[in-house]
Amino acid sequence: MALIELKNIVKKYEDGGEPTIALNGVSLNIEKGEFVAIMGPSGSGKSTLLHVLGFLDLPTSGEYKFNEKYLSDYSKDEIARVRNKEMGFIFQAFNLLPRTSVLENVKLPLLYSGVDESKWEKLATEAVKAVGLEHRINHDSSQLSGGEKQRVAIARALVLNPQVVFADEPTGNLDSKSGQIVMEIIRKLNEDLGHTVVLVTHETYTAEHAQRIIRVKDGKIESDVKVEHRRHRDEFEK
């Protein structure tokens, strides 16, 4: 069943002169449990597409249905609730609080979740364990390596057990070894835990962990293909 359905999505930005068209008639479906990579050159619209999918930006026109409900039928409060509870976000820049512990960083989405505060410690600890950083749980994020910071960001995205995880260039600031570890964790989110994953990347190697690659150019979908030869987990063990 489709978790995400887009039909003829257009996104324009007004800058006082001619409007910039970032998305120009995008239509696609993403099924529950899919792992989809979105690729394209700089300025192609791939990050704008991710922002629209993640309720971080609203389309100018077109139809967006999330979990069988049209975006136009969501109130502002409902949009905020879905973004907080049903969606997890991983960004290239990590977006962690520097002088705050790993555990407290992972707790952040819980502040606005409505989850009873007595459960926060357990939920955050479980998320930290899921990315293999329990030995760093009380360290400030400023003491971590880039790869470890991204793993904290993944734990934070997981803490409310969202339906879908959006990852925007999650390996862009990492060396190849750290990037491999991060991609292994993201793949486990999909294969072992059942999260739908939507990944934006410019790296073919990273995209090939997905089941499907959507290429975007000039705000339009250029191609949408299944990945025939996905990267295998055992590559991380070599």
Side-chain angles (χ1 to χ4, degrees):
M1 182 173 65
L3 176 65
I4 288 169
E5 299 175 64
L6 299 188
K7 186 176 180 181
N8 200 29
I9 291 291
V10 173
K11 179 62 184 180
K12 296 181 182 178
Y13 293 103
E14 303 287 344
D15 55 7
E18 286 292 316
T20 299
I21 301 175
L23 297 175
N24 191 5
V26 171
S27 298
L28 63 88
N29 286 0
I30 296 174
E31 303 296 318
K32 287 185 178 180
E34 261 198 299
F35 185 167
V36 177
I38 300 172
M39 299 190 72
S42 179
S44 63
K46 61 184 185 297
S47 288
T48 301
L49 177 56
L50 186 83
H51 288 177
V52 168
L53 291 171
F55 286 14
L56 298 171
D57 206 350
L58 298 176
T60 305
S61 62
E63 295 179 347
Y64 179 7
K65 190 186 285 188
F66 180 81
N67 220 6
E68 301 190 303
K69 182 175 179 178
Y70 286 105
L71 176 59
S72 56
D73 292 333
Y74 284 95
S75 68
K76 286 185 178 180
D77 286 346
E78 286 175 325
I79 286 175
R81 181 191 62 78
V82 169
R83 193 168 53 221
N84 180 249
K85 297 191 74 172
E86 304 295 336
M87 300 174 174
F89 297 92
I90 307 165
F91 297 104
Q92 181 176 355
F94 318 133
N95 295 341
L96 303 179
L97 300 178
R99 290 180 294 279
T100 305
S101 73
V102 167
L103 184 66
E104 294 303 316
N105 267 285
V106 174
K107 282 183 182 178
L108 286 175
L110 296 163
L111 294 173
Y112 312 100
S113 67
V115 173
D116 191 285
E117 190 171 351
S118 65
K119 299 179 181 178
W120 292 4
E121 189 94 3
K122 182 174 184 289
L123 289 171
T125 300
E126 287 174 350
V128 172
K129 287 180 178 178
V131 299
L133 281 180
E134 56 267 41
H135 63 294
R136 305 285 263 167
I137 198 165
N138 294 314
H139 286 69
D140 285 356
S141 65
S142 58
Q143 298 175 291
L144 306 181
S145 68
E148 288 172 332
K149 288 177 181 178
Q150 193 59 288
R151 287 155 70 184
V152 175
I154 294 171
R156 184 182 57 195
L158 283 181
V159 72
L160 283 167
N161 193 30
Q163 287 201 64
V164 56
V165 174
F166 294 105
D168 193 355
E169 299 280 8
T171 61
N173 284 337
L174 306 179
D175 60 62
S176 59
K177 183 177 180 180
S178 297
Q180 287 178 353
I181 292 169
V182 164
M183 285 310 303
E184 167 69 347
I185 292 169
I186 290 174
R187 186 156 173 163
K188 284 181 178 178
L189 301 185
N190 174 250
E191 293 184 353
D192 296 351
L193 301 179
H195 295 281
T196 305
V197 175
V198 181
L199 167 80
V200 164
T201 183
H202 66 277
E203 301 164 332
T204 300
Y205 181 91
T206 299
E208 287 175 351
H209 287 86
Q211 299 162 324
R212 173 181 165 202
I213 297 176
I214 297 170
R215 294 185 184 273
V216 179
K217 185 178 181 181
D218 298 329
K220 298 180 179 181
I221 292 179
E222 186 177 43
S223 64
D224 184 347
V225 298
K226 297 286 186 182
V227 178
E228 293 185 7
H229 302 289
R230 294 180 71 193
R231 298 287 176 179
H232 295 292
R233 286 187 176 186
D234 57 11
E235 293 183 26
F236 295 98
E237 298 171 2
K238 292 178 180 178

